[in-house]
Amino acid sequence: MLESPHSKPATLFKVVRREYRDSVSLMQLSSSLTKMAGVSQASAVMATENNLALLAEARFEISGSDAGAADLLIVVQGDAAALPAAIDTAVAHLTRQADVGSSAGRAAVLPRSIQSALADAPSANLVLVSTPGEYAGAEAMKALRQGLNVLLFSDNVPEEDEVRLKQFAKERGLIVMGPDCGTAIINGIPLCFANVVKRGAIGVIGASGTGLQQITVLVDNLGLGISQAIGTGGRDLHSNIGGITFSTALSDLTADVDTKVIVLISKPPAPEVAERILSEAARAGKPVVVNFLGADRANISRPGIYPAKTLEDAARTAVDLARGIAPRASYDLSLPMPSGLPKLALEQRYVRGLYSGGTFCYEAAMLLDERLADVYSNSPVRPDGAMKDVWHSHRHSLIDLGDDVFTRGRPHPMIDFRLRNERIVGEAEDPETAVILFDVVLGFGSHADPASELVPALRRAGEAAAQAGRSVIFVAFVCGTDRDPQGLARQTQALREAGVHLMQSNAQAVRLAASIVVGRAPARARPRDVRPVA
Amino acid sequence: MTYVLSHDEVHVSTLFEPGHAIINVGLSAFRDAIAQAGGSVVQVEWAPPAGGDRATGWDLARLTGHPAVERANAIAYANYLAAQPMLIDVDLARNHIPVLRDRVLLHAGPPISWEETCGPMQGAAIGAVLFEGWAASVAAARKLLDSGAIAFESTHDHATVGPMAGVVSPSMPVWVVENASAGNRAYCTFNEGLGKALRFGANSTEVIKRLQWMAAVLAPALKATLTKLGPLELKPMMAQALQMGDELHNRNAAASSLLLKKLVPAALRCKFDQTKMADAMTAIANNDHFFLNLSMAACKAMLDSAHNVPNSSMVTAMSRNGVRFGIRLSGTGARWFEAAAPIVHGLYFPTYGPEHAAPDMGDSSITETAGLGGFAMATAPAIVQFVGGTPDDAIANTREMTHITLGRNNAFTLPAMNFTGTPAGIDARKVLDTNILPIINTGIAHREAGVGQIGAGITRAPLECFAQAIVALASSVAQSEAPVPAESAA
Amino acid sequence: MHNGGVDYAERTVMAIVSATTVSASTLASRAAKHPCRVTACGIGFLVPLKLKNATVHSVFARACNIETQDGTLVTLLDYRLGNAPHGIACEVPDSFAFNSEIRPGTKVSVRDGELTLEQTALVVDLSRAVRWSGAPSQHAVDPTSRATRNSLAMIWRMLQDSSRSRGLFACWSLPNETASPLHAALLRRLAVCLPLLARGTVARDATTIVKALSAMIGLGIGLTPSGDDFIVGYLAALWSQSSRDATLPPLLGLLRAPLESMIAKTGAISRQLILDASAGQFSEPLVDLVRAIADGDDERVAITAARALRIGHSSGADALLGLLLGNDPRAFAASISNQPVSNQPVANQLESIALDA
């Protein structure tokens, strides 16, 4: 195995105390370790003074070991990512009683509990739980009790369980991501619903999955990468949970040398929690970009903290900071109206947003509400903006189709397009619809080819409007990268060919939609700060 | 860079260290995505633990990795491993089991009232009353038992075990096994052989006469032989029988032969009626199951030495009284956790079927509790077919049991599995967490008294017992933790 | 070392061993009795008469080390591995594995000529065992004789045979793709210590020898690191000439104390081997080889050296390398400096180090 000439290979070692194995099996151990992918050198030697000196001379980094001559020292060198698995193999080689060889061909019993999985992979440090919510808390507790971090994808975990899990984790230096954590990227591995993005210097902590997806995708599209992306679950910054996971993640990213800029995203937290998180963030010693969707940025601003209005602003601010450029106060780009927009009929006055991502819908409601009156949503920014009947649009309607009302008994709209497709056609048939606004989310976990589902529906919607002598304008954005399994380029091409006006971000798509209808529909009387619904 | 393998201590977050494996519990699509992205991932074949009972699931979660339980299990398991069962004597039950000085009968399994008992057990009890001479006829014996004049107690409460009905009466001879490491003793009656037998509920004259012969001839003959031979260490003999194809529950042919080899030279040197001694040795030679009862007593002695370690989740008894299946944990003392005894799925002798079967019965599952029987199935290909399976199934069964046990007993090694030890020391937490139920090799009794064995097969201990046990243990562990820690406060 | 999975199929028959042939089935029948008895056929010269508070230290398929109160290790051995100074050679059947029966920490007691391993079925009957001495000094080797030179040259060729080249000697011949920086570091060190040891041995200079040996103790791969096996082989060579060469007994006397303090730098099993070696006691395969060399019997040298080579993974090869150096340091230095280094980067690094005798 050749090493890269420029990067110093990583070293990992493990001291096995008073474990006497005969020389032949030690030799077999060394040679099987050396054959593992990503391992350039391996050695299993007694930790004598002379051997320690020899290892140091061969530039194995083994300082801090307290191994003595009676101990066996296993050292592996190579690709950092491959080493813990190599050590696992070695330890398994030494400790597991080799009954497998006697019955080759017979499948071993697969692990049925976290504990037995841990016996198979002792290096594991994270358990991803996606069981039904009523059982998820207990599984998470078992993981924590065995010293493992937890990502709780499951929703419907009672809040009191969340409190007890997070407090337990905190006492033991562990983290609980979630519950209802839809997205995380840990060490470049996308977990649950996540996009394939470059690794880099920007660490993200987010209460919402789609928010994390938007930030990580935009950072990637802007040419930089993500160090870690940590989902906290939507309730973490509620006052009774008190932001335990945010706080742990913040200190982990603060300590992480690969993270140069930190981004925090959430709906506005409980004020006392916000205050504590922000003061912790201010002490991070690295720039922290904060996007508390809809919160007053003046309350957030303090030295070292960069408030951002939208997810896109947060991504751009972080990218500028990571590049050493002074970030702008706002990235509200004045975009030219695209050419070739069809002429709308007089009564076509409203934007109809059909979202699969909840945070996108909320951000859209916030941005649209700034410019237009009569904005309604099932994810409203103001109490009087709540939709009375989510099944029927009224004026400007922004619908989060991931809401429980729609997902009961069927898969999430990122996977199952039937409901949204019906609704797209339905909105096109409504003579008041001017713009149909929607999101397309790529990445692991999402539908394998969203465009193939959407395009026929968009065509039917266009035909329905045409039959009534109208045209509807489709405005959308794709949250994804070229390395996502669905391929950004393929998806955008198919959607463009179907006549969709594609923007780079949710914020841009919402602004375009607003620009199309502004003047046709009543504008908000005067711009005002949006008071969020707590 | 250091590497922390032990998960029991607070440590600096390793979350951002590259290369650690991820355990995926739930949607397998997430496992695939992690693997596709180059991560190392282990999928848990998950099903709702504790049969889906949420509260019990939380009790289990609280006990998982609990330091007090881990410590207790280490002690209990070490005691079990250290046990050295020795056959020290053969004697009448009343001379060793204090409760049998009175008119008392012991029965297999968790305590049960006379009224509740099943047909075979009633038949056996009636037979024992006749054998003791407490009544002269079956009708009189039944009347006496119905009157409540004869106490009916669980064998396990008196360091005793018995196969099937497990009825022990004061004048029956018993094996006296002493655990040299802890000094505790365990008792078991003699094996009567196949066919009409008291343990299956038969109580005909022929059966009673056989019992009388065992008390009058076999027991004294064995006692004399043992006096000559001296204490007999049972573990090495059992270990050797495992190498010879016994699993020491449904197959005891090798162990019975080994025992006979031990006995005969000493028997020949005894000053004992030669004809009677010859009859005794012939009876042993003709009974391939003769060692079973000794194996059971040895297992009971080993497990009793692991019993009563506070907070331990190790199972120290599994037994059935023909109506209910019960288990005991080391950490919850004399309490039984019970569920309806299952009907055994297995192979029936010609003309019989499940409709004829009595529910699972007997203390012989003490062998599985001690890591033998179904747990050592891999070593006994000869009986695998008998209970309807292949040698591969047998190895798979044994391997499956490693997921619910505290360790492997290296005193009992299995040639078919590279001489690794049998999985032993059932951890109730693991049973509940994996939904893997302890496997038991067992005989099937006819549900009517006295018909006898009608088949053999495999059964599983009911999950419900383990669920109850965990709830009880969780509450006793919580009580033992004086100041309530944060996580159990909610 | 005696811990490898080595089978001495063509073991020369020794009177005390050949008396009984034990098969697996006879053991099985023994196990049927209470308890399982194994007969010891040989007891090493240095095995203490009483084992106080002894426990099992480590256990392998064919050997089981017992640690006594004062830290001495006594080894129960499959008799096929041969006797050892602190060994008890046991007549165990072919398929017997100590580690299937015994765990570290098991208590051991000796009473009435029986060694009992508590909580196991194993009892070793010591009453029929013969005391065995592993002193090569009775078989004086004359390093200047032609026969000895031939023997040593033959051993050298056997070590060079790449198919079984192992241990320290293998450092020279590792191809480019397998030689790691670790091997390079090991070779650089050997390139310094071996010539130093050769010089010290020629000059009978205890200080130089101790300097070289202390750089080798605990060095290299294996449960008993290569350097330790080398030291044992080296000492065997010195002891084997000691009854003929008057300069050696005082030298060996001078080495003893430094060796005793040096052993703190290696593991317990090596420690016992080096202690035994400094007292002039060696394992049977090594003694057999030395005796064959002393007798000038080519054929027996070939057989016994081949057998010694099969000890452990590399232990035998390393001991033979030590034996070669100890027997004829000048020839050794010349041969080793002519030994081509197949790994080019390592060879380049070595150029800066003078390989002189």
Side-chain angles (χ1 to χ4, degrees):
Chain A
M1 189 78 32
L2 289 177
E3 296 158 18
S4 143
H6 302 297
S7 69
K8 188 174 175 286
T11 302
L12 199 56
F13 69 86
K14 162 91 186 138
V15 177
V16 187
R17 306 217 180 268
R18 290 183 67 88
E19 183 71 45
Y20 298 100
R21 294 294 154 153
D22 63 68
S23 302
V24 179
S25 57
L26 290 185
M27 201 58 209
Q28 285 166 345
L29 179 61
S30 302
S31 85
S32 65
L33 285 177
T34 313
K35 282 181 200 132
M36 286 182 70
V39 176
S40 54
Q41 284 204 74
S43 166
V45 292
M46 302 308 284
T48 60
E49 202 178 303
N50 273 324
N51 277 343
L52 293 176
L54 201 65
L55 289 165
E57 196 185 331
R59 294 201 293 164
F60 277 104
E61 185 59 53
I62 45 163
S63 53
S65 128
D66 57 346
D71 302 326
L72 175 62
L73 183 67
I74 302 167
V75 200
V76 286
Q77 202 170 70
D79 187 356
L83 301 184
I87 295 281
D88 280 359
T89 308
V91 172
H93 190 106
L94 290 172
T95 56
R96 185 173 301 169
Q97 291 179 302
D99 69 294
V100 182
S102 63
S103 45
R106 294 187 187 103
V109 179
L110 292 169
R112 300 234 201 123
S113 64
I114 294 170
Q115 192 172 20
S116 31
L118 198 54
D120 283 3
S123 82
N125 65 353
L126 173 64
V127 177
L128 199 165
V129 179
S130 56
T131 64
E134 51 186 322
Y135 306 114
E139 291 302 323
M141 180 56 88
K142 287 181 219 165
L144 293 172
R145 281 202 159 278
Q146 291 170 92
L148 302 165
N149 297 292
V150 171
L151 191 162
L152 255 174
F153 173 82
S154 314
D155 53 6
N156 295 320
V157 174
E159 194 156 335
E160 69 266 24
D161 286 358
E162 180 172 350
V163 173
R164 112 170 93 167
L165 289 169
K166 287 186 171 177
Q167 281 174 350
F168 188 85
K170 188 181 169 188
E171 286 162 19
R172 282 163 176 73
L174 298 167
I175 192 167
V176 175
M177 295 180 263
D180 202 10
C181 168
T183 302
I185 302 173
I186 303 296
N187 303 320
I189 305 292
L191 302 173
C192 304
F193 291 79
N195 301 85
V196 184
V197 298
K198 289 184 281 287
R199 291 211 71 181
I202 297 172
V204 197
I205 305 167
S208 97
T210 39
L212 282 169
Q213 285 190 275
Q214 177 76 94
I215 299 277
T216 55
V217 161
L218 289 173
V219 165
D220 184 83
N221 293 349
L222 290 165
L224 293 192
I226 298 298
S227 58
Q228 310 287 345
I230 297 166
T232 63
R235 292 186 302 227
D236 191 61
L237 294 179
H238 287 190
S239 55
N240 49 346
I241 292 165
I244 292 176
T245 302
F246 252 91
S247 173
T248 305
L250 195 56
S251 76
D252 286 354
L253 287 181
T254 301
D256 178 35
V257 289
D258 294 334
T259 302
K260 309 291 185 220
V261 179
I262 299 171
V263 181
L264 307 182
I265 47 175
S266 167
K267 285 185 183 176
E272 78 281 6
V273 180
E275 192 47 46
R276 195 165 42 73
I277 295 291
L278 289 171
S279 66
E280 282 174 28
R283 291 194 302 270
K286 17 186 128 171
V288 179
V289 181
V290 176
N291 169 240
F292 288 157
L293 268 179
D296 186 348
R297 277 172 285 160
N299 292 341
I300 293 168
S301 195
R302 59 199 73 192
I305 293 193
Y306 301 81
K309 183 180 176 185
T310 62
L311 295 168
E312 181 180 0
D313 282 3
R316 287 181 183 276
T317 307
V319 165
D320 280 350
L321 287 165
R323 287 195 166 126
I325 304 169
R328 288 192 243 164
S330 163
Y331 294 85
D332 196 344
L333 312 166
S334 52
L335 299 155
M337 285 291 273
S339 57
L341 286 177
K343 195 173 154 38
L344 296 170
L346 210 60
E347 69 272 28
Q348 286 184 276
R349 283 174 294 176
Y350 297 117
V351 176
R352 300 288 158 78
L354 301 171
Y355 278 98
S356 61
T359 299
F360 293 141
C361 188
Y362 186 82
E363 188 184 50
M366 177 191 92
L367 292 173
L368 215 57
D369 192 81
E370 283 180 4
R371 294 180 63 185
L372 298 166
D374 301 328
V375 176
Y376 297 96
S377 175
N378 61 342
S379 167
V381 286
R382 292 182 290 117
D384 58 355
M387 275 181 96
K388 294 200 171 53
D389 176 3
V390 294
W391 298 97
H392 297 99
S393 298
H394 175 66
R395 310 270 164 99
H396 302 292
S397 287
L398 299 165
I399 300 153
D400 171 12
L401 292 163
D403 192 322
D404 290 350
V405 184
F406 301 108
T407 54
R408 215 163 281 151
R410 65 163 81 211
H412 195 271
M414 284 183 196
I415 299 163
D416 184 343
F417 283 76
R418 283 174 300 171
L419 186 64
R420 182 148 75 160
N421 285 347
E422 284 164 23
R423 193 86 185 228
I424 286 172
V425 178
E427 297 297 347
E429 285 168 347
D430 183 343
E432 293 194 329
T433 303
V435 177
I436 295 177
L437 173 68
F438 60 94
D439 60 350
V440 181
V441 181
L442 309 185
F444 283 112
S446 294
H447 190 282
D449 188 1
S452 71
E453 293 276 348
L454 281 163
V455 167
L458 294 170
R459 195 169 296 133
R460 279 204 310 283
E463 284 161 5
Q467 271 174 9
R470 299 186 302 271
S471 299
V472 226
I473 301 171
F474 300 114
V475 175
F477 71 100
V478 182
C479 180
T481 72
D482 266 329
R483 282 176 302 142
D484 279 334
Q486 301 88 348
L488 179 62
R490 251 184 313 131
Q491 298 297 319
T492 52
Q493 192 191 348
L495 290 167
R496 280 215 174 89
E497 282 170 4
V500 180
H501 294 276
L502 284 181
M503 305 304 285
Q504 286 176 347
S505 69
N506 185 43
Q508 290 181 30
V510 176
R511 286 186 181 123
L512 174 61
S515 300
I516 292 170
V517 298
V518 83
R520 309 180 72 85
R524 177 152 296 291
R526 54 187 171 79
R528 60 175 207 188
D529 252 340
V530 180
R531 289 280 151 234
V533 179
Chain B
M1 186 190 253
T2 57
Y3 187 76
V4 182
L5 251 187
S6 56
H7 290 280
D8 52 2
E9 58 201 54
V10 175
H11 56 266
V12 181
S13 173
T14 61
L15 189 62
F16 299 160
E17 279 182 23
H20 288 275
I22 296 168
I23 294 173
N24 187 41
V25 184
L27 302 171
S28 62
F30 293 159
R31 183 252 334 254
D32 300 340
I34 294 166
Q36 203 181 328
S40 142
V41 59
V42 180
Q43 177 76 23
V44 172
E45 299 288 302
W46 187 85
D53 183 278
R54 201 173 164 271
T56 309
W58 265 105
D59 280 342
L60 171 63
R62 281 188 207 97
L63 293 178
T64 300
H66 195 295
V69 181
E70 300 297 331
R71 272 195 304 273
N73 283 349
I75 294 165
Y77 189 61
N79 289 348
Y80 154 78
L81 286 182
Q84 277 301 344
M86 318 274 293
L87 171 60
I88 57 165
D89 200 1
V90 158
D91 204 347
L92 295 188
R94 71 160 66 88
N95 296 339
H96 287 271
I97 305 167
V99 73
L100 291 182
R101 284 176 207 140
D102 300 321
R103 280 199 172 189
V104 171
L105 294 181
L106 303 184
H107 65 80
I112 190 168
S113 69
W114 166 249
E115 293 74 27
E116 282 183 281
T117 50
C118 66
M121 188 173 281
Q122 294 199 347
I126 289 167
V129 168
L130 295 173
F131 166 69
E132 292 294 337
W134 294 337
S137 70
V138 169
R142 182 177 285 282
K143 205 174 154 197
L144 189 63
L145 284 159
D146 284 345
S147 76
I150 292 164
F152 211 46
E153 296 206 12
S154 165
T155 45
H156 279 273
D157 286 331
H158 302 285
T160 305
V161 277
M164 300 311 284
V167 170
V168 185
S169 68
S171 313
M172 288 183 188
V174 290
W175 296 112
V176 180
V177 171
E178 184 171 293
N179 169 19
S181 77
N184 62 300
R185 288 185 177 183
Y187 313 97
C188 186
T189 47
F190 287 0
N191 193 289
E192 309 159 76
L194 289 173
K196 297 240 184 280
L198 189 80
R199 66 179 188 278
F200 290 111
N203 50 30
S204 58
T205 318
E206 167 198 355
V207 171
I208 306 301
K209 277 200 165 140
R210 181 153 187 85
L211 290 177
Q212 284 161 349
W213 176 82
M214 281 165 69
V217 178
L218 183 59
L222 282 171
K223 193 177 175 73
T225 308
L226 275 179
T227 312
K228 196 91 199 159
L229 193 62
L232 188 59
E233 212 175 333
L234 294 172
K235 236 167 153 178
M237 206 187 283
M238 293 162 79
Q240 204 193 351
L242 286 172
Q243 314 276 316
M244 295 164 74
D246 283 357
E247 39 71 276
L248 296 163
H249 184 173
N250 262 13
R251 189 180 195 269
N252 290 283
S256 300
S257 305
L258 293 172
L259 177 66
L260 191 67
K261 270 174 75 175
K262 281 273 182 204
L263 297 176
V264 168
L268 293 174
R269 288 193 184 86
C270 283
K271 283 178 189 141
F272 198 82
D273 183 303
Q274 287 230 354
T275 320
K276 284 180 177 171
M277 183 59 90
D279 285 352
M281 291 299 136
T282 308
I284 298 170
N286 288 339
N287 183 356
D288 274 351
H289 282 289
F290 193 72
F291 192 83
L292 170 63
N293 300 37
L294 203 43
S295 160
M296 286 169 59
C299 290
K300 176 68 176 162
M302 291 189 264
L303 289 162
D304 274 358
S305 73
H307 195 60
N308 277 331
V309 179
N311 299 329
S312 169
S313 59
M314 179 173 157
V315 177
T316 46
M318 295 196 290
S319 188
R320 314 83 99 191
N321 56 26
V323 176
R324 290 187 301 273
F325 192 112
I327 68 164
R328 272 177 170 176
L329 299 194
S330 172
T332 51
R335 208 169 145 187
W336 286 93
F337 305 99
E338 298 173 51
I343 295 283
V344 181
H345 299 281
L347 289 186
Y348 287 83
F349 299 155
T351 77
Y352 294 109
E355 68 277 15
H356 302 115
D360 199 16
M361 190 166 70
D363 287 333
S364 59
S365 43
I366 195 76
T367 56
E368 274 81 11
T369 321
L372 301 170
F375 282 53
M377 197 67 153
T379 204
I383 63 149
V384 171
Q385 245 185 329
F386 186 50
V387 295
T390 64
D392 277 6
D393 295 338
I395 289 175
N397 284 343
T398 293
R399 189 167 290 152
E400 192 184 36
M401 293 304 109
T402 63
H403 287 248
I404 58 167
T405 47
L406 290 168
R408 289 185 160 195
N409 184 347
N410 287 307
F412 297 140
T413 59
L414 306 173
M417 299 185 78
N418 255 2
F419 293 94
T420 50
T422 60
I426 301 166
D427 183 344
R429 296 176 304 171
K430 292 184 175 179
V431 173
L432 219 50
D433 205 3
T434 59
N435 290 306
I436 295 174
L437 300 173
I439 194 164
I440 294 164
N441 289 351
T442 194
I444 306 171
H446 197 286
R447 69 157 108 126
E448 284 162 27
V451 179
Q453 188 174 4
I454 58 169
I458 288 176
T459 187
R460 299 262 186 174
L463 184 72
E464 213 186 312
C465 302
F466 298 89
Q468 291 169 22
I470 285 301
V471 171
L473 185 68
S475 106
S476 77
V477 169
Q479 277 169 21
S480 72
E481 290 170 328
V484 182
E487 62 104 11
S488 55
Chain C
M1 251 319 292
H2 305 100
N3 299 317
V6 188
D7 203 340
Y8 290 99
E10 76 270 22
R11 182 194 153 78
T12 46
V13 179
M14 286 188 55
I16 52 168
V17 177
S18 61
T20 341
T21 322
V22 188
S23 70
S25 63
T26 58
L27 186 85
S29 71
R30 279 178 190 174
K33 291 183 224 146
H34 161 247
C36 161
R37 295 178 74 86
V38 168
T39 306
C41 52
I43 291 189
F45 193 69
L46 300 177
V47 173
L49 291 170
K50 279 184 183 152
L51 300 181
K52 244 192 190 164
N53 291 341
T55 54
V56 172
H57 170 268
S58 48
V59 58
F60 311 90
R62 308 190 63 193
C64 170
N65 291 313
I66 295 166
E67 188 172 17
T68 65
Q69 198 169 25
D70 63 353
T72 305
L73 286 192
V74 174
T75 310
L76 298 180
L77 286 161
D78 182 334
Y79 75 94
R80 296 165 192 84
L81 296 175
N83 281 290
H86 270 98
I88 298 174
C90 302
E91 293 176 2
V92 290
D94 274 338
S95 59
F96 184 85
F98 285 100
N99 56 2
S100 74
E101 185 96 358
I102 305 165
R103 300 289 137 205
T106 302
K107 287 188 181 138
V108 182
S109 55
V110 176
R111 196 188 298 165
D112 303 334
E114 279 186 352
L115 183 147
T116 311
L117 291 131
E118 287 177 16
Q119 296 166 25
T120 73
L122 203 67
V123 169
V124 180
D125 175 5
L126 304 173
S127 62
R128 277 179 271 174
V130 174
R131 273 278 170 185
W132 177 89
S133 169
S137 50
Q138 302 145 13
H139 315 288
V141 172
D142 174 7
T144 59
S145 83
R146 210 175 137 194
T148 303
R149 280 164 192 269
N150 281 345
S151 298
L152 297 179
M154 181 159 65
I155 295 170
W156 184 260
R157 280 196 304 278
M158 288 169 77
L159 276 176
Q160 271 177 315
D161 179 351
S162 59
S163 68
R164 58 169 68 131
S165 184
R166 280 174 172 177
L168 296 176
F169 195 75
C171 289
W172 275 265
S173 52
L174 280 171
N176 274 344
E177 60 272 21
T178 56
S180 63
L182 193 63
H183 284 112
L186 186 57
L187 189 45
R188 277 198 301 276
R189 183 174 284 222
L190 294 178
V192 176
C193 321
L194 294 182
L196 190 67
L197 184 59
R199 249 193 341 258
T201 310
V202 171
R204 301 290 190 249
D205 170 7
T207 314
T208 307
I209 294 171
V210 167
K211 197 175 160 198
L213 294 186
S214 65
M216 293 193 72
I217 195 157
L219 183 73
I221 58 154
L223 174 67
T224 54
S226 288
D228 298 345
D229 296 314
F230 176 93
I231 292 171
V232 169
Y234 170 77
L235 292 172
L238 298 195
W239 277 100
S240 72
Q241 300 164 45
S242 61
S243 61
R244 189 181 282 269
D245 183 337
T247 63
L248 280 171
L251 178 68
L252 285 163
L254 280 175
L255 289 179
R256 206 157 164 174
L259 279 168
E260 278 170 12
S261 67
M262 202 188 285
I263 55 169
K265 294 186 358 181
T266 191
I269 299 171
S270 285
R271 233 176 269 167
Q272 192 64 61
L273 291 177
I274 294 174
L275 267 186
D276 293 353
S278 69
Q281 288 281 332
F282 301 87
S283 69
E284 194 170 346
L286 217 48
V287 174
D288 283 352
L289 172 59
V290 167
R291 195 198 306 188
I293 297 171
D295 293 351
D297 183 338
D298 272 4
E299 201 179 325
R300 263 175 53 223
V301 169
I303 292 169
T304 53
R307 193 178 306 134
L309 269 173
R310 267 177 282 144
I311 304 174
H313 178 262
S314 57
S315 294
D318 289 324
L320 290 197
L321 198 69
L323 190 77
L324 288 175
L325 191 149
N327 265 313
D328 192 346
R330 283 191 187 84
F332 182 92
S335 307
I336 207 85
S337 60
N338 289 331
Q339 183 66 23
V341 176
S342 59
N343 182 274
Q344 203 47 53
V346 175
N348 294 342
Q349 285 190 348
L350 280 178
E351 272 182 12
S352 57
I353 301 168
L355 275 171
D356 61 325

